[in-house]
């Protein structure tokens, strides 16, 4: 089968920032996906897409496309152009469709959608300038995130504040520094899980894989940019990942929430939810409809597919199979 593996090349804007690492990993991921599909006897083709070559997508000829496009921040609109070009080819492509992308690629739309579907997420507020009045009913601490980013871009230890005055100050500073909308939300002290949902062939069908847990060295720990991407940062390696040990009732609750989110959001093929658990309550931090594909052992999806005995190749192939099944039922 001819499989086009489409990945984004960092834009000139991203290259000029200190956050390049978060946008740069798509090439390595694409190469790993390609090697996996080659090992299965397929005919993969790597297609790098730059901000100036999006129209290249419309001319692709293949049986299926693996979508590893992941521009972020102020480059977010390019993702929509790319997905529209994929749709125009009529070739099935893996992961989220245009609607999914609209919902999940920025944190304001995502939190709005989670609330609209009555899915559990922490109390939040959207800011554009930082001059807005802060809601009175926040319980502190509160975390301040950049609405258009991913991979913890803009998240350092000072992103968590403990009172209204500090929140007002931080929101204003972040809005000015990054020139993009801000989401502030109640910080949930508790366990952090990455939950992978995979649309498997029958008899399994839609399946929630065993969740991965991020283990932090401190109770207030969270995934900062330095901790995730910067080997020289003191936060680097202060967390680890493994299969979550869950009581049966908690496992059941997570299974139900992940499954329900996937269905209500009409996700395709696979998705990953970042969830925090506090006592018996669960809070969805984000729902990613097109998470990057990589066999990195530090990656939640890797921990989860390995926990059921799958290899990276099996995992990618099931995602592609799901994508092909969808395209058959569409016609
Ligand atoms: N409400 C929250 N409570 C506790 N930790 C949070 C919260 N929101 C984000 N975090 C921490 O910040 C990290 C990144 O936030 P997330 O919303 O997943 O954005 P990103 O798209 O950057 O991954 C999370 O993995 C978690 O460690
Ligand atoms: Mg996340």
């Amino acid at each position: 089968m001819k499989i086009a593996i489409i990945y984004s090349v960092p834009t000139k804007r991203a290259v000029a920032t200190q956050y390049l690492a978060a946008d740069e990993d798509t090439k390595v991921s694409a190469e790993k996906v390609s090697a996996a599909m080659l090992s299965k006897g397929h005919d993969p083709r790597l297609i790098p897409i730059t901000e100036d070559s999006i129209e290249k997508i419309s001319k692709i000829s293949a049986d299926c496309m693996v979508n590893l496009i992941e521009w972020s921040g102020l480059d977010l609109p390019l993702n929509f152009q790319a997905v529209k070009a994929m749709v125009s080819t009529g070739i099935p492509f893996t992961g989220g469709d245009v609607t999914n992308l609209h919902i999940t690629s920025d944190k304001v739309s995502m939190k709005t959608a989670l609330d609209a579907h009555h899915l559990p997420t922490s109390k939040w507020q959207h800011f554009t300038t930082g001059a807005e009045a802060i809601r009175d009913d926040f319980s502190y601490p509160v975390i301040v995130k950049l609405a258009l980013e991913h991979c913890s871009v803009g998240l350092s230890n000072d992103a968590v504040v403990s009172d209204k005055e500090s929140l007002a100050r931080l929101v204003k500073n972040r809005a000015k520094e990054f020139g993009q909308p801000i989401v502030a939300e109640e910080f949930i002290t508790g366990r952090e899980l990455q939950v992978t949902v995979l649309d498997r062939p029958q008899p399994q069908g839609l399946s929630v894989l065993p969740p991965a847990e991020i283990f932090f060295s401190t109770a207030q720990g969270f995934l900062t940019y330095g901790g995730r991407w910067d080997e020289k940062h003191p936060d680097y390696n202060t967390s680890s990942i493994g299969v979550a040990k869950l009581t049966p009732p908690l496992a059941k609750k997570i299974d139900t929430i992940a499954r329900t989110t996937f269905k209500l959001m009409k996700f395709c093929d696979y998705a990953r939810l970042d969830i925090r658990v506090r006592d018996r309550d669960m809070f969805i931090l984000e729902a990613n409809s097109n998470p990057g594909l990589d066999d990195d052992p530090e990656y939640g999806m890797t921990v989860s597919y390995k926990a059921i005995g799958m290899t990276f190749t099996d995992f990618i192939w099931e995602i592609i199979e799901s994508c092909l099944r969808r395209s058959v039922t569409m016609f």
Side-chain angles (χ1 to χ4, degrees), residues 107 111 122 143 145 149-153 155 185-189 192 194 214 216 221-224 228 272 274 276 285-286:
K107 294 188 192 311
K111 295 286 281 188
S122 62
I143 185 167
K145 307 197 264 193
E149 300 294 349
H150 65 161
C151 298
S152 296
V153 167
L155 279 182
E185 66 179 42
E186 289 182 358
F187 184 87
I188 308 299
T189 303
E192 180 162 335
Q194 295 191 348
I214 320 280
F216 296 99
F222 66 97
L223 291 177
T224 61
R228 269 165 113 164
R272 201 199 71 225
D274 293 343
R276 281 239 164 182
L285 304 183
E286 65 166 339

Side-chain angles (χ1 to χ4, degrees), residues 98-156:
V98 178
T99 315
N100 295 153
L101 190 65
H102 270 288
I103 292 174
T104 60
S105 60
D106 82 84
K107 294 188 192 311
V108 173
S109 311
M110 175 144 31
K111 295 286 281 188
T112 305
L114 290 170
D115 283 348
H117 289 300
H118 306 291
L119 290 162
T121 191
S122 62
K123 198 179 284 172
W124 65 290
Q125 185 174 353
H126 167 205
F127 298 89
T128 48
T129 61
E132 298 92 340
I134 291 181
R135 62 189 291 169
D136 286 324
D137 57 351
F138 262 146
S139 291
Y140 289 83
V142 164
I143 185 167
V144 175
K145 307 197 264 193
L146 304 176
L148 308 184
E149 300 294 349
H150 65 161
C151 298
S152 296
V153 167
L155 279 182
S156 41

Side-chain angles (χ1 to χ4, degrees), residues 118-294:
H118 306 291
L119 290 162
T121 191
S122 62
K123 198 179 284 172
W124 65 290
Q125 185 174 353
H126 167 205
F127 298 89
T128 48
T129 61
E132 298 92 340
I134 291 181
R135 62 189 291 169
D136 286 324
D137 57 351
F138 262 146
S139 291
Y140 289 83
V142 164
I143 185 167
V144 175
K145 307 197 264 193
L146 304 176
L148 308 184
E149 300 294 349
H150 65 161
C151 298
S152 296
V153 167
L155 279 182
S156 41
N157 282 309
D158 62 1
V160 178
V161 292
S162 51
D163 56 68
K164 198 171 178 177
E165 291 68 39
S166 314
L167 177 57
R169 217 174 309 123
L170 184 60
V171 167
K172 212 168 277 169
N173 288 343
R174 287 285 204 267
K176 194 164 161 213
E177 182 182 351
F178 291 94
Q180 62 171 280
I182 305 289
V183 164
E185 66 179 42
E186 289 182 358
F187 184 87
I188 308 299
T189 303
R191 299 173 72 178
E192 180 162 335
L193 306 175
Q194 295 191 348
V195 185
T196 301
V197 186
L198 179 62
D199 200 356
R200 308 196 65 190
Q202 293 303 331
Q204 293 102 330
L206 192 65
S207 303
V208 178
L209 306 190
E213 177 163 5
I214 320 280
F215 303 104
F216 296 99
S217 46
T218 59
Q220 288 287 70
F222 66 97
L223 291 177
T224 61
Y225 184 83
R228 269 165 113 164
W229 298 98
D230 182 359
E231 286 175 27
K232 295 196 188 88
H233 197 279
D235 286 352
Y236 198 72
N237 270 343
T238 53
S239 66
S240 58
I241 192 162
V243 178
K245 287 196 175 66
L246 302 170
T247 59
L250 186 54
K252 176 107 189 47
K253 208 165 173 179
I254 290 166
D255 187 277
T256 305
I257 284 184
R259 207 176 271 282
T260 308
T261 305
F262 193 98
K263 286 187 188 154
L264 287 174
M265 302 272 204
K266 297 191 169 66
F267 286 162
C268 310
D269 308 328
Y270 74 120
R272 201 199 71 225
L273 309 185
D274 293 343
I275 293 182
R276 281 239 164 182
V277 182
R278 188 176 59 198
D279 304 322
R280 283 197 217 139
D281 295 323
M282 232 156 278
F283 301 85
I284 300 174
L285 304 183
E286 65 166 339
N288 194 335
S289 65
N290 201 38
L293 297 170
D294 199 293

